[in-house]
Amino acid sequence: MSVTARSTPNIALIKYWGNRDDSLRLPAADSLSMTLDSPSVEITVDHADVLTVQSFEADGSEKSLKAKDITRFARHLELTKKYVQFLAEASPLPANVSITIRSQIPSSIGLASSAAVFGCLAKAYAGLIGVAVTTPSSMTLTDEQISVIARMGSGSAARSIYGGFAALLKGDGDAMGTSHAVQIADENHWPLHDIVIVPTQKEKDVGSTEGHALAWTSPHYKKRLDQIMRRQKECTDAILAKDFEKLQRVTEEDCWDMHNVMQTSAPPLKYLNDETYRITDAIEELREREHLPILYTMDAGPTVHVICTEEAVKTVREFAHALQGCTIFETKTGSGAILL
Ligand code: PMV
């Protein structure tokens, strides 16, 4: 019997960058994000004789996957089986599965789809385990356990399991399950908008999987790790207290710090471009002029996420749509991964 799940991307406020174990994606530090309500990805998994992965774009056309993408799914399935076996002392996951991905995430908007994809796949695997009620080894996974499965595919995906605001905790030691995500506050706590401004649609040269491995080569990385716990706490406090000014300060501080690490790694990773700096300067001016709660942040790409409250969204929308040559995508705080 097949199982289908749906998930969405998240935007990191405290960034995950660098692992202490790249193969298990055990992060070197905690991170924190807001789950978005769109665009979504749906994944159907079913028992199969061999592993197959098919991916379809929003217009229904099939996307050709690279060999390295298939390898990533195969490795993720092996890790998931190992983890579930460790939890249950018997693996209720089939030896092989068929994976069908239907993504509404336009490849042009620069929103990391891997978080949505692996969040969705983890939820679907949990569903497949849950419906195997006829086998003595069937079990119900907790959200924390599902977040571990998501993390092993894409670190940031662990946070997309939850709605609202979620933290990925680094955990201790080298066990697969030591690093999992937790919810800080649900999607009704503080609805915020994220107006996504995409200055370029060029695919990046170095993906985040390769990028994480370079973090340690930056002379600024150790200092970044020393600062993260303090920032994580400030960010959590700001969210719980709905203190936008505090959230803005810590989010932008952490964003620039991550990009400083990226730009000083060997080789340097320059994800931002001139347009990014032009947009962030303009947002700073806008914020000062209008005295509005607006913040910006960028992941591994030139796309600028402009996060604001209801009070500021009209102004931010007008600002974004007036920019020449940019693609704009509007999203807001969402509820995490679900089984359909
Ligand atoms: O989950 P990954 O391996 O694609 O890494 C995501 C890294 C950033 O987007 C730059 C930061 C984050 O925490 O999402």
Side-chain angles (χ1 to χ4, degrees):
M1 188 184 152
S2 69
V3 170
T4 303
R6 181 189 295 153
S7 182
T8 49
N10 63 71
I11 176 63
L13 303 168
I14 302 298
K15 311 290 187 186
Y16 150 57
W17 196 246
N19 294 313
R20 61 181 193 278
D21 180 326
D22 283 320
S23 63
L24 292 180
R25 294 177 197 265
L26 285 171
D30 291 4
S31 59
L32 202 158
S33 61
M34 176 170 91
T35 298
L36 303 177
D37 73 341
S38 59
S40 63
V41 170
E42 283 182 20
I43 297 184
T44 302
V45 289
D46 204 348
H47 295 236
D49 294 335
V50 286
L51 171 72
T52 59
V53 188
Q54 276 192 297
S55 182
F56 297 92
E57 310 258 23
D59 64 4
S61 61
E62 186 165 358
K63 199 170 143 183
S64 69
L65 293 171
K66 298 186 186 110
K68 78 169 196 202
D69 297 326
I70 308 284
T71 307
R72 186 167 174 182
F73 284 105
R75 167 141 180 83
H76 180 246
L77 175 62
E78 290 316 309
L79 289 174
T80 303
K81 283 195 278 191
K82 235 190 218 174
Y83 176 61
V84 173
Q85 204 155 9
F86 157 79
L87 292 176
E89 289 173 356
S91 176
L93 257 188
N96 278 303
V97 289
S98 62
I99 300 172
T100 310
I101 303 166
R102 287 180 203 83
S103 177
Q104 294 296 324
I105 306 182
S107 47
S108 57
I109 66 167
L111 258 180
S113 60
S114 68
V117 166
F118 283 99
C120 197
L121 187 57
K123 193 80 184 175
Y125 281 156
L128 205 57
I129 293 165
V131 294
V133 282
T134 49
T135 67
S137 52
S138 82
M139 58 182 290
T140 305
L141 298 183
T142 64
D143 281 349
E144 285 190 5
Q145 290 165 342
I146 298 171
S147 79
V148 169
I149 297 176
R151 191 209 77 224
M152 294 192 295
S154 166
S156 57
R159 302 181 310 235
S160 272
I161 299 303
Y162 298 96
F165 300 86
L168 172 61
L169 308 178
K170 78 175 188 64
D172 292 313
D174 54 10
M176 276 178 162
T178 183
S179 169
H180 62 82
V182 291
Q183 188 175 53
I184 303 283
D186 73 16
E187 59 274 25
N188 302 312
H189 169 70
W190 198 18
L192 296 176
H193 293 267
D194 179 4
I195 309 297
V196 185
I197 305 177
V198 189
T200 171
Q201 304 182 4
K202 187 177 158 277
E203 208 181 304
K204 54 191 170 204
D205 300 331
V206 183
S208 45
T209 298
E210 296 84 50
H212 286 295
L214 299 178
W216 297 94
T217 65
S218 162
H220 300 295
Y221 190 56
K222 279 274 294 153
K223 189 160 165 258
R224 170 169 177 75
L225 294 181
D226 293 341
Q227 302 283 324
I228 294 266
M229 285 317 285
R230 190 249 319 152
R231 288 191 198 137
Q232 184 85 353
K233 183 174 181 321
E234 275 180 28
C235 193
T236 305
D237 291 349
I239 290 164
L240 293 178
K242 301 183 199 172
D243 181 340
F244 197 93
E245 212 182 303
K246 189 171 187 169
L247 184 69
Q248 178 230 308
R249 254 184 285 115
V250 72
T251 301
E252 292 177 8
E253 175 190 327
D254 190 69
C255 167
W256 290 123
D257 184 50
M258 177 186 72
H259 284 281
N260 183 35
V261 165
M262 290 165 159
Q263 288 163 7
T264 53
S265 66
L269 295 172
K270 302 209 162 139
Y271 288 117
L272 310 180
N273 63 23
D274 290 350
E275 279 290 276
T276 314
Y277 293 104
R278 197 171 65 83
I279 295 164
T280 54
D281 281 353
I283 293 164
E284 286 180 13
E285 269 171 39
L286 177 75
R287 171 163 76 206
E288 236 161 76
R289 198 172 59 237
E290 307 279 338
H291 302 287
L292 282 172
I294 306 173
L295 68 84
Y296 59 78
T297 187
M298 293 77 72
D299 279 345
T303 295
V304 183
H305 290 254
V306 189
I307 298 172
C308 64
T309 61
E310 192 62 40
E311 181 195 352
V313 72
K314 191 169 168 286
T315 308
V316 173
R317 258 190 212 125
E318 282 168 9
F319 163 83
H321 287 283
L323 293 166
Q324 299 289 313
C326 295
T327 306
I328 311 299
F329 186 83
E330 298 185 22
T331 177
K332 52 185 192 300
T333 321
S335 49
I338 53 164
L339 276 179
L340 295 177

